[in-house]
Structures are given as structure tokens and as C-alpha cells.
Amino acid sequence: MGTLNSTLSSLLSSINQEISAKEQQKIRDSIVSSIYSCAEEIARKAAHHQTDRKFELDQKIDNIVTSRVFGIPIMLALLGVILWLTITGANYPSQLLANSLFWLEGQFTNFFMMVGAPDWLHGVLVLGMYRGLAWVVSVMLPPMAIFFPLFTLLEDLGYLPRVAFNLDRYFKKACAHGKQALTMCMGFGCNAAGVISCRIIESPRERLIAVLTNVFVPCNGRFPILISLSMIFIGGLGATASSTAAAAVVVLLVLLGVVVTLLMSWLLSKTVLKGEPSFFTLELPPYRKPQVGRILIRSLLDRTIFVLMRAIVVAAPAGAITWILANTYIGDLSIIAHLAGWLDPFAVLLGLDGIILMAFILGLPANEIVLPIMIMSYLSAGAMLELDSLTALRTLLVDNGWTWLTALSTMLFSLLHFPCGTTLLTIYKETKSLKWTAFAALMPLGTAILVTFAIAQFAVLLGLV
Amino acid sequence: MKATDKSCCTEAYEAFGLKLSQNQLVVALAGNPNTGKSTVFNALTGLKQHTGNWPGKTVLRAEGTFVHRNKKILLVDLPGTYSLLATSADEQVARDFLVLGRPHAVIVVADATCLERNLNLVLQVMEITAKVVVCVNLMDEAARRSIKVDIEVLSRELGVPCIPTVARDGKGLTELKDAVLDVATGVTATSPRQVSYEPHVEQAAARIESRIRPYLPGWVNHRWLALRLLEGDMSIIKAIIDHLGNGSEQLLLQEGSAVWAR
Amino acid sequence: MTDTIVPLSQLPNGASGTVKYLTAQGQVRRHLLDLGLVAGSKIESIRRSPAGNPTAFNIRGAIIALRNEDADQVFVTLDKTMEEKNESHR
């Protein structure tokens, strides 16, 4: 059988060599024309257009959403509305979930006390693991359950290809692919999902650029930190924080993320991923009435639960480890305090402090535990807990020396730093390369350090802080 | 070559990462992008779906099962493509499965509002396999745009069953399943319309066809392969040789040994 | 005038043309053929993106955006009749 195969393969390649490349191209042209003219002929017989008007409504909609004047503002407005709906809508259910999950924690604690379990076991399992999980679920689930359906709705309507159409020029200038805009949209929900969606980009070079830069779009796990800090510090509103102001600040941060994405894509294209933009096609499909039922099922089952499960898988062990670090003492300081103290001199250069930087490092498995770790460390309570209001959080942070610069640096660091563990794992699966996965972590980290360092030093130099 | 010899063995499906239970029929779902192909897929399989990757490719594969007239059917969703010229990974995956996976039947979803573009793919699929059912979807949208599709004429011209559907409302799906089952089990014989090429292309293809015939198993469409050789598409050639080489074909070779023994 | 051949990107908005030949080679040519751009195909320029590039075309019933660099490898003749038809419609 082996010999038969080699006979076959040598026969096929010799046939291939008999025909010149030029001839092959001519034949291909002719083959494609023949198929299309056959298709034309059949369509002429079988389909009858009774009028000339086609896609009239579509054209009218497109005249607006891709117009020179309104195209980009409409895009931004839609983004703002979706973020606003997500922020406002998630508030109440988040609270509700947190209350019930923390009530359950109380029950667990009672149970552990009843059976007389050792303190450390209760600490690792309940105060570490369970509380970490409860945090992630209550903070992540409601926004995702709102964001993903809204996003799927836009997808189903057929609006997203128009976004890519509007933005392609800028991506082309960065030697990247217009469909990268679509993968970025996906990244808002979850960067891991965004990385997977990069498959729609055909050219390997441009796909890799999209994969590596997806992290510059803040995902749902990072929105809570961006939102609460912008409500507390940038709006300067304290207790009467408005979701509108927070949404506006977050939109600005998102825009910055887009600018960084374009810059980094360009930089990558000029250095390690040299190359010209490849062939680009994008279909602008007709607008279709969305199927609400299917949207809900698809976005809840396929996206929300999927992303949540992965977050849970990393958050549980991370919670346990954090508890252990916070409750193991070397001398009279916990390991966490030692780490923070050690990181502090460097963190201060970036406008942060040791605890913030450590929280980002410990938060590698899941971005949503960054803020809880920070709070926990400030309170030295040894377990992650949620403060009941933003005012309390503000007091805590200000008492620990936070200024507007600290808040700004933290937000920028959150926006630009390395992707979470799940995303890195996904990047490894998609690229099958440890080298690119490491690069995907180090490149954003470098960017975050550079930007925060520049801003912090600039502010200090001008005496703004 | 006879279309009825085309159904495949379990081993060939395993090469595509598919697990097949006893007596299950394999049906592939092809179609242009934005034709409501995934709506058809969801409507046929409901929640009995499974997603994964095509082996060795970062292309999403969805498969699902449904039962019709007591027959279990595994529906494999191919990537949405305009053609099978294999210019992209998606097209390659779709084409490789049609050629090497040898499904019992192929549903090609076509958009009734732009038939011409969709027929291009239908014709290309029909060059690979005769067991085709065309699902003419979005009939409601076509009606709204005052486009009248004459299904009878279309079926006659194409030589395969054409079923009008509005997948999102579930219209026409029973008829579609009936037609697919009949084609898959050989109850309906099809005579797919073959594209006629320019005389010099046809002649050259015939010459190559006679040269490669003795060396190829019966289930590869020799004319189709000759045309690919003519246009210098070596990717399918490589895929076929790899497929034959990986040993998954031994069972089948015995069955077609007359061809193989020369 | 009817026989002036221009690159596809110079097809004015709303105007239609007929594909005469492709200068693209290799993969790009395959992609263009794939989309149905063969000699004799009708094509209509639909709209430009806000930044002027890419341009969306009606190619065999689907609206497909191409970057000007790629569209420039397709040469078309302008269909005068289309405009005249439109004029008489109004």
C-alpha cells in the first residue's frame, strides 16, 4: 500500500509539474468563470426579481451608521449606552447575589464551628476559597449576564461588521486587519473569548497581532475596578456617584485602550511581526430582526456560563492561596505584608504602592480579585471582604494615602497590564507557542509600567501631587 | 462513478475527530456566510450540540444530532464559505470534510435573496458529491424583497432536491429532513448538474483523469481531482495522500480492491 | 467613453461597472475570484467608509467591502446605461 501511495504521489506531482504556473492560473480563471456563469444561468431561470428595489431600508440605515459625520459618534454612543446599562443594571443583582452568597458563608462558618474544624481549615476553605468564589460570582455574573446579551443583540442585528467597516482604515494604517475591531468588541466581555474570536482573521500575522493586543480592551473582570475608582476619584462624587459619569470615564479609558491597541499593532508590524496588510474582505450582511430567545440562550449558555466557569476554576485556588499568604506570619508581618513592603519602592515610581502592585500580581488568575486583595491587605483582616459602600471604600483608600494620581495609575495599570491566567492559557492554546504566550504577558506589562511611570513622574515633576 | 458507493466507514470520520455510534448517518451542513446556516443548524439539532475544533486547525466545528423517522443523524456544521477553492483555512476544512469525510448527504444552505452567489457553492459541492440537498432559506426575506424563487425550476436545473425554508420560524424543516434522509439512504436518486467547462479545460481534465484513475480509490471524484490538478491546487492532493497514508483506509481498500489492484 | 477601463476603486459611488480583467496574482487573485470577480461580472460601488477606505461593493448580490489597494487590482468599465436608467426613473 505504501508503494502504491508513493506511486500516486509521484504521479500527481509530475502532472502538477507538466503545467506551468501561468497556465494553471489561466485554467483557474476559466474554471471559476464557468462555474459562475452556470450559477448565473440557473439563477436567471429560477429567481425572478419583480422590482429593482433591494436593500432599501438597509441602505438608509447604513447611510447613517457608516456616514462620515455620524459613523464614529454613533459607535461611541452605543458603547457608552451598553456600558451604562451594564453598570446600572448590574448594581442591584450584584448586591443581592453578594448578600445571599455571604449569608451562605455564615452558614458554612457555623457548620465548621459545629464540627469543631481547625481554624486554618475554615480559613483556607471558607474565608479563602469560598469567599474568593463568592466575590467573583457576585461581581462578574450580573454584568456579564447583561453585557453579553446586549452584545449578541448587536451581533445578531448585523451592526458589528459596520464597526469593522468604519474602523478598518485605522487598522490598516497600523498594518493590522479591520476584523480586529470585532475581536476587540468580544474582548469587552472577556479577553479569553476575544482571543478565540481572532480566528476570524485569516492571515496568521494579523491574527497574532490581534491576539497579542486584545488585552488592551478592558474585560468584564476589570470593569468593576475601573468603574468604582472612576466613581470615587475622577468624578470626585463620593457618595452621590453617578453611573453616567463613571460610564463616561470608562468610555475614555476604552478609547485610550483602542489607541494603545493601534499603536502597539503598528509597532509590532514594524518590528517582530513585520509585514504588509494582507487581503481584506468584509461582508456587510443585510440587517436582520434579532431572535431574542435565541440571543438569551446563546449568550447565557455559550458565553456567560462558559466565561464564569473558567473564572471560578482559577478564582477558587487563588482565594485559598491569598488567604494562606495573608495569614502566614514571618516575624510579625504576614507574607503579603512582606511582599508589599518589598514591592513598595518600585510601585511608588509608578504612582502606585506596594499593596496595589502585589494585588495585580496575585490577581493574575482572575482580574476580578485584584480589588478584594487590595482591600483585604489595607484592612489587614486576612480575608477578602467587601465594603458595603463606595464611601467606605473611599475613606479606606484615602486613609491609606491614595490621591487622584494613585487612582489614575491604578486604572491605567489595570487597563494595560498582563492578561489574566485564563486568557494566557487561551493564548497558549491558540498560538501553541510558549514564546508568544510569554510575550503576550510581558509586552502589556512593559506598556503598563512605561505609561504609569511616565505619568507619575510627570505629575511629580510638575508638583501636581 | 456511482454515488451510492460514497458513504464512509467509521475510521474515516475518526480522522476528523468524530465519534459515530451504530447505524448513524453523517450529514454535512455547508453554505455561504450569512445565509442563516447556523439557524438551520440550531433548528435541526436543538440543544443536542457539541462544539470543538477541527483536528489540527483552529477552526470551530459544531456538530449535533437529531432523530428523524427512527434514523439517528449526526449533523456536522462546516465553516461558512463562498466557495471551496481552498483559499482559506475555512474553505480547506469544508472541502476536506466533503471529499475525505464522505458524509452520507450534504445540505447546502442557500440564501433565497441572492441565489446566484449561493449557487456557486452548490455547484462546487455537487462536483464533489451527488448526495446534495439544497435548503433554500430566507424565503420570507426574499418575498419581502419581491424576489420569487421557483423551487421546481431550481430542483430541475440542479438535479437535486431543493427545499424552501424559513429556518427561524421552523418552516420547511420537516420536508428538509425527509429529503435529507431519502438522499442519504439512497431512496432519492440525484443527478446533479455538472458545470461544463471550456473545451480545452474539459479535454485536459479528461486526459489527467485517465492517468490518475488506476491509482485512486473509487470514492474520490476523479474528474474533480483532475480539475484541481489542472489549476495547480496541491493542497487537496496532499490532504488525500495524507489521508490514504494514515491507515484509516484499509477497511475501505479491501472493498475497493478491484480498483486498487489494477 | 463606454470603453474606458478604470481600477475598481475609481468607480464612483453608486455607479456600476463590468469587470474586464484582474491584475492581481497568487493568493489575492484567488480571493478575488472566490468572491465572484471574474471577467464579465457586474459590480456596483455602494459606499465608502467614513475614512474613505475601504469601499463596499455589491458583488453578485452580497455587499462586500474591499480595501482600495486590493480593489485597484481589478479593472472595470463603467456602465453608462445604469446612470441613464436612473435618470429616466426620476
Side-chain angles (χ1 to χ4, degrees):
Chain A
M1 186 186 142
T3 48
L4 197 51
N5 266 345
S6 56
T7 325
L8 173 63
S9 90
S10 60
L11 171 66
L12 295 179
S13 51
S14 75
I15 291 176
N16 184 50
Q17 275 157 22
E18 284 163 24
I19 313 157
S20 72
K22 210 176 149 199
E23 191 65 21
Q24 287 172 344
Q25 180 178 303
K26 265 174 138 174
I27 291 172
R28 173 174 283 255
D29 281 17
S30 155
I31 286 176
V32 178
S33 308
S34 300
I35 300 173
Y36 264 114
S37 39
C38 185
E40 261 172 52
E41 185 203 320
I42 298 172
R44 223 183 0 256
K45 287 183 191 158
H48 309 283
H49 297 247
Q50 269 139 12
T51 53
D52 257 357
R53 56 173 191 97
K54 39 182 181 182
F55 313 124
E56 252 183 10
L57 183 63
D58 283 19
Q59 293 305 331
K60 276 183 193 150
I61 299 173
D62 273 344
N63 282 342
I64 301 166
V65 301
T66 69
S67 84
R68 197 171 281 262
V69 185
F70 299 113
I72 290 174
I74 286 178
M75 242 168 49
L76 291 177
L78 272 172
L79 177 68
V81 168
I82 288 190
L83 288 177
W84 182 81
L85 282 174
T86 307
I87 294 168
T88 342
N91 257 337
Y92 180 69
S94 264
Q95 205 89 62
L96 205 69
L97 264 174
N99 288 345
S100 27
L101 289 174
F102 282 104
W103 173 83
L104 200 62
E105 186 198 299
Q107 302 305 305
F108 280 136
T109 303
N110 289 344
F111 174 77
F112 272 76
M113 302 238 290
M114 207 174 72
V115 297
D119 269 358
W120 64 266
L121 188 67
H122 171 250
V124 170
L125 289 183
V126 178
L127 298 181
M129 214 179 234
Y130 178 80
R131 206 174 262 192
L133 270 182
W135 241 99
V136 169
V137 172
S138 56
V139 170
M140 254 183 114
L141 181 60
M144 285 200 308
I146 297 172
F147 181 88
F148 279 131
L150 286 174
F151 182 79
T152 315
L153 181 76
L154 284 187
E155 204 180 8
D156 237 41
L157 270 170
Y159 177 70
L160 294 188
R162 272 76 185 178
V163 172
F165 183 64
N166 285 345
L167 293 179
D168 176 64
R169 178 74 186 277
Y170 307 103
F171 284 97
K172 202 197 99 195
K173 281 206 168 143
C175 300
H177 202 282
K179 284 184 185 163
Q180 194 173 334
L182 301 181
T183 68
M184 289 163 68
C185 290
M186 205 51 150
F188 283 122
C190 165
N191 289 128
V195 166
I196 291 177
S197 73
C198 293
R199 292 173 174 191
I200 55 171
I201 299 172
E202 188 60 41
S203 133
R205 187 189 72 89
E206 284 146 45
R207 185 189 311 151
L208 193 52
I209 289 178
V211 165
L212 295 175
T213 56
N214 195 270
V215 64
F216 295 126
V217 178
C219 63
N220 259 320
R222 286 182 279 165
F223 276 131
I225 193 168
L226 298 180
I227 291 161
S228 39
L229 291 184
S230 62
M231 274 166 121
I232 292 174
F233 284 94
I234 310 295
L237 299 165
T240 52
S242 83
S243 4
T244 319
V249 172
V250 178
V251 167
L252 279 179
L253 282 170
V254 167
L255 276 182
L256 180 72
V258 173
V259 171
V260 173
T261 301
L262 288 170
L263 272 174
M264 285 313 297
S265 302
W266 179 81
L267 217 69
L268 287 171
S269 295
K270 293 294 161 203
T271 54
V272 282
L273 287 170
K274 273 202 186 90
E276 288 304 304
S278 71
F279 186 73
F280 169 85
T281 49
L282 175 77
E283 181 170 354
L284 302 179
Y287 290 100
R288 298 220 162 103
K289 201 173 66 194
Q291 293 169 279
V292 178
R294 218 188 80 210
I295 287 178
L296 283 176
I297 291 174
R298 219 173 68 200
S299 53
L300 289 181
L301 284 183
D302 292 3
R303 291 184 179 156
T304 310
I305 301 297
F306 183 64
V307 172
L308 192 70
M309 286 316 280
R310 286 198 302 201
I312 285 173
V313 168
V314 286
I321 290 168
T322 312
W323 187 88
I324 293 169
L325 291 180
N327 288 278
T328 313
Y329 283 79
I330 302 175
D332 34 341
L333 283 175
S334 66
I335 295 182
I336 275 199
H338 276 295
L339 280 175
W342 183 70
L343 286 169
D344 202 61
F346 176 65
V348 167
L349 292 177
L350 309 181
L352 309 170
D353 65 28
I355 284 181
I356 304 173
L357 192 55
M358 184 203 59
F360 277 119
I361 295 169
L362 291 179
L364 174 70
N367 279 304
E368 27 302 282
I369 56 176
V370 169
L371 194 58
I373 293 177
M374 249 184 242
I375 297 170
M376 179 186 69
S377 309
Y378 283 135
L379 289 172
S380 307
M384 290 186 271
L385 53 84
E386 187 175 18
L387 296 168
D388 36 16
S389 73
L390 283 175
T391 330
L393 181 58
R394 181 192 166 86
T395 317
L396 175 74
L397 295 179
V398 170
D399 284 351
N400 279 284
W402 277 52
T403 62
W404 66 267
L405 180 65
T406 323
L408 181 66
S409 296
T410 307
M411 286 195 282
L412 288 174
F413 201 86
S414 170
L415 177 72
L416 303 172
H417 81 302
F418 45 78
C420 72
T422 315
T423 306
L424 285 174
L425 201 67
T426 311
I427 292 177
Y428 177 69
K429 276 188 190 155
E430 294 293 301
T431 60
K432 303 224 167 51
S433 150
L434 275 176
K435 193 187 82 182
W436 285 119
T437 311
F439 187 80
L442 295 176
M443 184 266 294
L445 180 63
T447 314
I449 291 176
L450 219 67
V451 170
T452 47
F453 178 79
I455 288 178
Q457 295 310 308
F458 191 68
V460 171
L461 213 67
L462 293 185
L464 294 174
V465 184
Chain B
M1 59 173 290
K2 275 183 290 171
T4 41
D5 291 332
K6 276 202 147 186
S7 43
C8 185
C9 53
T10 324
E11 284 82 355
Y13 295 123
E14 272 169 8
F16 286 94
L18 290 176
K19 282 193 193 71
L20 209 60
S21 60
Q22 208 75 57
N23 296 327
Q24 206 171 20
L25 293 173
V26 177
V27 174
L29 187 68
N32 284 18
N34 301 307
T35 51
K37 188 164 73 73
S38 58
T39 316
V40 173
F41 181 74
N42 288 328
L44 286 179
T45 60
L47 288 174
K48 286 187 180 152
Q49 298 180 5
H50 176 78
T51 55
N53 281 349
W54 289 91
K57 294 262 165 60
T58 47
V59 175
L60 183 82
R61 183 189 63 209
E63 64 204 56
T65 54
F66 64 93
V67 176
H68 188 61
R69 299 198 318 232
N70 292 323
K71 265 284 183 192
K72 266 175 95 180
I73 292 163
L74 177 70
L75 188 66
V76 181
D77 192 17
L78 302 177
T81 58
Y82 293 121
S83 90
L84 296 174
L85 293 175
T87 344
S88 68
D90 282 358
E91 290 179 10
Q92 223 166 52
V93 161
R95 184 204 59 188
D96 286 2
F97 187 75
L98 291 174
V99 177
L100 304 173
R102 285 172 287 149
H104 296 93
V106 182
I107 304 173
V108 187
V109 183
D111 177 350
T113 65
C114 65
L115 210 49
E116 179 190 315
R117 162 170 292 285
N118 287 263
L119 287 178
N120 174 55
L121 182 68
V122 174
L123 289 168
Q124 290 188 39
V125 173
M126 292 197 312
E127 287 190 318
I128 295 173
T129 171
K131 298 184 156 193
V132 173
V133 175
V134 178
C135 162
V136 188
N137 196 28
L138 303 172
M139 288 297 285
D140 55 338
E141 219 165 295
R144 247 198 324 279
R145 296 205 176 132
S146 314
I147 298 167
K148 202 181 158 299
V149 178
D150 191 329
I151 297 291
E152 241 172 75
V153 171
L154 190 63
S155 302
R156 200 167 56 232
E157 288 291 325
L158 291 174
V160 298
C162 297
I163 311 294
T165 62
V166 184
R168 52 184 297 161
D169 299 337
K171 281 186 196 152
L173 293 178
T174 314
E175 292 83 349
L176 179 66
K177 285 189 257 186
D178 279 339
V180 169
L181 206 57
D182 287 347
V183 167
T185 53
V187 173
T188 306
T190 57
S191 53
R193 160 85 161 253
Q194 294 297 308
V195 177
S196 42
Y197 295 102
E198 286 182 84
H200 73 275
V201 176
E202 291 281 1
Q203 283 154 19
R207 272 200 302 277
I208 292 180
E209 202 183 323
S210 62
R211 281 171 69 186
I212 57 175
R213 169 164 298 133
Y215 302 93
L216 284 168
W219 48 264
V220 179
N221 188 322
H222 298 151
R223 175 175 191 253
W224 181 82
L225 195 64
L227 285 164
R228 302 291 79 77
L229 272 168
L230 266 178
E231 60 174 1
D233 178 0
M234 288 308 276
S235 63
I236 184 62
I237 311 293
K238 208 187 153 301
I240 289 178
I241 288 174
D242 286 354
H243 190 76
L244 291 175
N246 73 15
S248 69
E249 286 305 306
Q250 250 142 13
L251 266 181
L252 206 97
L253 293 187
Q254 280 157 13
E255 167 194 315
S257 53
V259 181
W260 277 76
R262 288 217 271 168
Chain C
M1 184 61 201
T2 40
D3 278 317
T4 326
I5 296 177
V6 295
L8 185 52
S9 69
Q10 284 174 29
L11 195 64
N13 244 354
S16 37
T18 306
V19 176
K20 281 291 147 187
Y21 55 85
L22 275 60
T23 55
Q25 299 292 323
Q27 278 299 101
V28 178
R29 190 185 186 91
R30 284 184 169 211
H31 275 296
L32 291 167
L33 292 174
D34 235 22
L35 292 173
L37 287 170
V38 293
S41 304
K42 293 268 175 221
I43 185 164
E44 184 187 356
S45 170
I46 301 286
R47 64 180 68 255
R48 282 178 207 286
S49 97
N53 188 5
T55 307
F57 299 97
N58 182 345
I59 308 173
R60 296 181 190 264
I63 311 291
I64 290 168
L66 296 176
R67 284 178 175 169
N68 294 350
E69 295 67 18
D70 299 319
D72 276 344
Q73 307 187 49
V74 178
F75 285 80
V76 296
T77 51
L78 261 153
D79 291 351
K80 266 288 161 197
T81 48
M82 195 63 193
E83 265 167 49
E84 286 156 16
K85 240 192 338 200
N86 277 348
E87 295 289 89
S88 61
H89 262 290
R90 276 161 204 169

